[in-house]
Amino acid sequence: MRDIIAIDVDDVLLEFYLMLVRFHNERYRTSLSKDDFTSYFVHEVWGGTREEGIAKVLEFYNTQEFRDLPAVDRTLFGVARLAQIYDLV
């Protein structure tokens, strides 16, 4: 049995916030940029309650854009190397 490594994908391996911002701008007609996210509490950036922020992120999770998140530059090579040695989750 191989060791297991868990990987955080949010802007570590995948461009999560870039695509979340695009989704929010299109869906809610805002003009935010990735640089506006100085807090991981998204409602503090785009306004509304914590519950509304969670609902919007869950809405994003159900989009094709979320399923097709692009990789952060040069991360795929490293992940492929790790996958040769470890089980990744």
Side-chain angles (χ1 to χ4, degrees):
M1 181 173 182
R2 300 189 317 173
D3 288 333
I4 297 171
I5 295 179
I7 300 174
D8 179 12
V9 298
D10 298 357
D11 281 359
V12 175
L13 295 179
L14 302 176
E15 292 284 2
F16 178 80
Y17 277 95
L18 176 69
M19 300 308 289
L20 178 64
V21 167
R22 286 184 187 173
F23 161 80
H24 193 273
N25 286 342
E26 289 174 11
R27 182 73 48 100
Y28 298 99
R29 297 187 178 159
T30 54
S31 56
L32 298 168
S33 74
K34 183 178 172 180
D35 293 336
D36 292 323
F37 283 81
T38 56
S39 170
Y40 286 108
F41 298 106
V42 293
H43 67 283
E44 292 178 359
V45 176
W46 60 41
T49 66
R50 181 177 181 272
E51 291 75 19
E52 290 169 334
I54 291 169
K56 287 179 178 181
V57 172
L58 291 175
E59 183 181 357
F60 174 59
Y61 287 164
N62 289 312
T63 65
Q64 190 64 43
E65 290 83 1
F66 175 74
R67 288 185 287 282
D68 294 337
L69 289 173
V72 173
D73 284 343
R74 299 183 302 214
T75 58
L76 296 181
F77 175 77
V79 171
R81 294 283 312 262
L82 288 172
Q84 293 173 349
I85 303 166
Y86 303 99
D87 289 329
L88 305 180
V89 294

